[in-house]
Amino acid sequence: MDIIKSRDNDILKLARKLKIKKYRRELGLYVIEGLRFIEDAVMSNAPVRFCMCSESLKGERAERLFKNLHDKSIRLYMLKDELFKDTCDTKNPQGIIAIIERKNYTVESIRKDASFLILADRLQDPGNLGTIIRTADAANADGIIVSDGTVDPYSPKVLRSTMGSIFHIPVVAGDLIDAIKALKKQGFNVYASSLDGDNSYFDFDYCLKTAIVIGNEANGIDEEIFNLSDKFIKIPMPGRAESLNAAVAGGILMFEVVKQRMSAAFK
């Protein structure tokens, strides 16, 4: 295990750079923190560039992870606790971080053989986007396309909210208008979630190629994207709340797709 002693070490400079979206995009790298997250990365064969741990990280679980990293020829660096804390994004770091290479997904590669996609339009809350990624993974969606105005899927807060699903489902930023036009040519039905929808979400057949658009928390779906969509669907709310959290609404719609497709498979 190599030891890093200086704050000016190039490895630490890189880790600090990756706190900034610009450098995450330029370098094609991102940072994850914590034993569980890194265990998931290793188990999922994510492209881990290297790891760094604090000198106080001990225990059987840590030792198992160290062995797995060694077996996969992933370099591990040790830092003094204060130096490690200075490198982390969280206030109470969990003792280990990893630098991961982003996979080179494109809108074209995601939609090529897909039948179920999620389109996120200008979502701003990291927890919402992370939860949508996690839910889409659970619902066996083929991928997620996020508009350029959406929070960075590889920001630390989004990554933590995915609970490891970032390693399982393709996520890419792109122009949603161009993506929707291409998807429609490919035979997709594009459903826009809206309080002003014409029909309840359960009135439609999602067993065919399906793309669901989830809009901005405050302003909903962009007007041009809304008008390009094939169907406008709403979630009935007989109670007094005026709206649902974007991630909750997305989860309801995604699992309607799951329900219908599972029912069709058993007929």
XYZ file of all heavy atoms in Angstrom, residues 199-239:
326
model
N -55.134 11.921 -19.521
C -55.612 10.646 -18.984
C -54.751 10.199 -17.805
O -53.602 10.603 -17.671
C -55.583 9.560 -20.056
C -56.504 9.858 -21.219
O -56.105 10.505 -22.174
N -57.740 9.376 -21.142
N -55.327 9.334 -16.992
C -54.560 8.736 -15.903
C -53.487 7.823 -16.481
O -53.663 7.210 -17.537
C -55.472 7.939 -14.979
O -56.398 8.806 -14.342
N -52.381 7.703 -15.763
C -51.239 6.935 -16.264
C -51.581 5.458 -16.518
O -50.996 4.820 -17.387
C -50.067 7.040 -15.290
C -50.251 6.304 -13.989
C -49.747 5.025 -13.809
C -50.938 6.897 -12.926
C -49.921 4.347 -12.610
C -51.111 6.230 -11.731
C -50.609 4.953 -11.577
O -50.788 4.287 -10.389
N -52.543 4.917 -15.788
C -52.855 3.490 -15.956
C -53.809 3.217 -17.116
O -54.235 2.089 -17.323
C -53.411 2.886 -14.657
C -54.436 3.731 -13.956
C -55.692 3.919 -14.490
C -54.123 4.347 -12.749
C -56.642 4.692 -13.832
C -55.066 5.125 -12.083
C -56.321 5.295 -12.630
N -54.140 4.256 -17.899
C -55.028 4.059 -19.047
C -54.284 3.645 -20.320
O -54.903 3.462 -21.360
C -55.801 5.352 -19.343
C -56.854 5.654 -18.290
O -57.297 4.702 -17.631
O -57.213 6.828 -18.123
N -52.957 3.522 -20.245
C -52.168 3.268 -21.446
C -51.437 1.930 -21.363
O -51.222 1.385 -20.284
C -51.171 4.405 -21.673
C -51.830 5.719 -21.939
C -51.987 6.652 -20.922
C -52.313 6.028 -23.200
C -52.605 7.863 -21.155
C -52.938 7.242 -23.452
C -53.089 8.162 -22.422
N -51.039 1.451 -22.543
C -50.311 0.186 -22.667
C -48.824 0.486 -22.784
O -48.380 1.103 -23.753
C -50.807 -0.559 -23.914
C -50.094 -1.893 -24.113
O -49.209 -2.231 -23.304
O -50.429 -2.585 -25.090
N -48.048 0.044 -21.787
C -46.605 0.306 -21.777
C -45.795 -0.928 -22.167
O -44.591 -0.965 -21.932
C -46.171 0.775 -20.383
C -46.904 2.005 -19.900
C -47.851 1.910 -18.881
C -46.662 3.244 -20.451
C -48.539 3.016 -18.435
C -47.346 4.368 -20.012
C -48.280 4.253 -18.999
O -48.950 5.357 -18.570
N -46.444 -1.903 -22.762
C -45.714 -3.102 -23.160
C -44.932 -2.877 -24.459
O -44.018 -3.627 -24.776
C -46.667 -4.283 -23.315
S -47.356 -4.822 -21.725
N -45.304 -1.845 -25.209
C -44.548 -1.474 -26.399
C -43.392 -0.573 -25.991
O -43.197 -0.287 -24.804
C -45.477 -0.773 -27.394
C -46.710 -1.584 -27.822
C -47.608 -0.742 -28.702
C -46.285 -2.857 -28.533
N -42.609 -0.115 -26.952
C -41.469 0.746 -26.639
C -41.951 2.022 -25.939
O -42.806 2.740 -26.475
C -40.705 1.096 -27.911
C -39.957 -0.083 -28.520
C -39.166 0.346 -29.746
C -38.357 -0.821 -30.307
N -37.568 -0.414 -31.501
N -41.381 2.264 -24.772
C -41.891 3.325 -23.893
C -40.768 4.230 -23.397
O -39.736 3.750 -22.932
C -42.595 2.698 -22.670
O -43.748 1.964 -23.116
C -43.016 3.750 -21.665
N -41.000 5.541 -23.495
C -40.104 6.524 -22.876
C -40.961 7.440 -22.011
O -41.987 7.958 -22.468
C -39.355 7.337 -23.929
N -40.551 7.623 -20.757
C -41.298 8.462 -19.823
C -40.469 9.701 -19.501
O -39.309 9.598 -19.102
C -41.628 7.691 -18.539
C -42.600 6.555 -18.842
C -42.219 8.622 -17.480
C -42.886 5.643 -17.669
N -41.089 10.869 -19.678
C -40.409 12.135 -19.391
C -40.804 12.600 -17.998
O -41.994 12.709 -17.677
C -40.782 13.226 -20.416
C -39.917 14.479 -20.185
C -40.627 12.722 -21.845
N -39.793 12.896 -17.173
C -40.023 13.439 -15.824
C -39.459 14.858 -15.808
O -38.286 15.074 -16.120
C -39.341 12.566 -14.759
C -39.880 11.138 -14.837
C -39.560 13.154 -13.363
C -39.121 10.144 -13.986
N -40.295 15.819 -15.430
C -39.921 17.221 -15.571
C -39.342 17.866 -14.326
O -39.297 17.273 -13.243
N -38.913 19.083 -14.504
C -38.338 19.915 -13.446
C -39.277 20.021 -12.252
O -40.495 20.120 -12.405
C -38.044 21.302 -14.025
C -37.573 22.295 -12.998
O -38.387 22.986 -12.384
N -36.279 22.376 -12.809
N -38.700 20.024 -11.046
C -39.481 20.008 -9.807
C -40.449 21.186 -9.706
O -41.575 21.037 -9.233
C -38.539 20.025 -8.597
C -37.715 18.770 -8.417
C -36.400 18.786 -9.170
O -36.195 19.671 -10.034
O -35.565 17.917 -8.902
N -40.016 22.359 -10.157
C -40.847 23.560 -9.988
C -41.671 23.888 -11.227
O -42.816 24.345 -11.123
C -39.968 24.753 -9.624
N -41.096 23.647 -12.411
C -41.722 24.130 -13.641
C -42.226 23.040 -14.570
O -42.761 23.331 -15.640
C -40.726 25.016 -14.404
C -40.271 26.199 -13.571
O -41.092 26.929 -13.027
N -38.956 26.374 -13.442
N -42.054 21.796 -14.178
C -42.541 20.715 -15.016
C -41.686 20.509 -16.256
O -40.503 20.839 -16.294
N -42.306 19.998 -17.311
C -41.606 19.644 -18.546
C -41.544 20.848 -19.473
O -42.516 21.591 -19.619
C -42.313 18.461 -19.234
C -42.234 17.223 -18.335
C -41.708 18.164 -20.605
C -43.115 16.070 -18.800
N -40.402 21.034 -20.111
C -40.229 22.094 -21.102
C -41.339 22.030 -22.148
O -41.738 20.950 -22.586
C -38.862 21.926 -21.770
C -38.643 22.878 -22.925
O -38.257 24.024 -22.684
O -38.875 22.450 -24.078
N -41.847 23.185 -22.556
C -43.007 23.241 -23.445
C -42.765 22.520 -24.773
O -43.635 21.786 -25.268
C -43.397 24.695 -23.717
C -44.671 24.833 -24.542
C -45.098 26.272 -24.741
O -44.401 27.177 -24.222
O -46.108 26.500 -25.423
N -41.580 22.704 -25.347
C -41.295 22.059 -26.631
C -41.233 20.542 -26.474
O -41.730 19.799 -27.327
C -39.983 22.592 -27.213
C -39.732 22.126 -28.640
C -38.541 22.802 -29.293
O -37.921 23.667 -28.661
O -38.228 22.445 -30.448
N -40.638 20.092 -25.382
C -40.579 18.655 -25.116
C -41.985 18.114 -24.871
O -42.352 17.047 -25.370
C -39.668 18.370 -23.903
C -38.211 18.683 -24.273
C -39.806 16.921 -23.433
C -37.258 18.589 -23.112
N -42.768 18.858 -24.121
C -44.146 18.459 -23.829
C -44.935 18.289 -25.134
O -45.634 17.295 -25.337
C -44.799 19.504 -22.930
C -46.133 19.095 -22.381
C -46.229 18.261 -21.285
C -47.317 19.560 -22.959
C -47.463 17.878 -20.769
C -48.551 19.195 -22.453
C -48.620 18.355 -21.357
N -44.786 19.250 -26.037
C -45.551 19.216 -27.288
C -45.076 18.102 -28.226
O -45.853 17.637 -29.075
C -45.464 20.567 -28.000
C -46.223 21.654 -27.255
O -47.169 21.366 -26.529
N -45.802 22.897 -27.411
N -43.836 17.681 -28.081
C -43.305 16.589 -28.901
C -43.778 15.221 -28.415
O -43.753 14.251 -29.168
C -41.772 16.605 -28.891
C -41.053 17.456 -29.933
C -39.549 17.435 -29.658
C -41.339 16.958 -31.346
N -44.197 15.158 -27.166
C -44.581 13.874 -26.577
C -45.876 13.347 -27.206
O -46.693 14.109 -27.722
C -44.760 14.029 -25.066
O -43.558 14.489 -24.475
N -46.042 12.020 -27.158
C -47.219 11.393 -27.768
C -48.446 11.435 -26.859
O -49.568 11.614 -27.322
C -46.904 9.932 -28.099
C -45.795 9.803 -29.130
O -45.976 10.310 -30.255
O -44.744 9.221 -28.807
N -48.213 11.231 -25.564
C -49.320 11.165 -24.615
C -48.971 11.987 -23.386
O -47.828 12.046 -22.959
C -49.592 9.713 -24.178
C -49.827 8.730 -25.316
C -51.163 8.965 -26.014
C -51.384 7.922 -27.110
N -52.650 8.173 -27.849
N -49.989 12.601 -22.795
C -49.813 13.400 -21.589
C -50.543 12.694 -20.453
O -51.767 12.562 -20.478
C -50.357 14.814 -21.803
C -49.897 15.418 -23.107
C -50.808 15.852 -24.057
C -48.543 15.495 -23.396
C -50.386 16.390 -25.260
C -48.107 16.035 -24.597
C -49.029 16.481 -25.537
N -49.782 12.212 -19.487
C -50.367 11.354 -18.455
C -50.279 12.026 -17.087
O -49.353 12.789 -16.802
C -49.671 9.979 -18.412
C -48.152 10.126 -18.219
C -49.963 9.208 -19.692
C -47.419 8.813 -18.055
N -51.263 11.727 -16.263
C -51.271 12.293 -14.916
C -51.492 11.187 -13.894
O -52.042 10.120 -14.206
C -52.347 13.359 -14.779
C -53.774 12.843 -14.959
C -54.771 13.987 -14.871
C -56.200 13.493 -15.126
N -57.180 14.596 -15.102
N -51.064 11.454 -12.680
C -51.281 10.539 -11.563
C -52.455 11.089 -10.755
O -52.378 12.203 -10.233
C -50.027 10.448 -10.681
C -48.857 9.895 -11.502
C -50.293 9.568 -9.459
C -47.515 9.954 -10.795
N -53.548 10.364 -10.673
C -54.698 10.859 -9.904
C -54.315 11.097 -8.447
O -53.626 10.270 -7.838
C -55.723 9.732 -10.023
C -55.301 8.950 -11.217
C -53.814 9.051 -11.271
N -54.754 12.226 -7.892
C -54.455 12.558 -6.492
C -55.744 12.992 -5.801
O -56.082 14.184 -5.795
C -53.389 13.664 -6.425
C -52.026 13.212 -6.918
S -50.773 14.498 -6.743
C -51.348 15.668 -7.964
N -56.478 12.039 -5.250
C -57.751 12.375 -4.613
C -57.588 13.115 -3.286
O -58.561 13.653 -2.762
C -58.409 11.007 -4.408
C -57.268 10.046 -4.346
C -56.227 10.590 -5.269
N -56.380 13.145 -2.759
C -56.142 13.857 -1.502
C -55.957 15.345 -1.714
O -56.246 15.885 -2.785
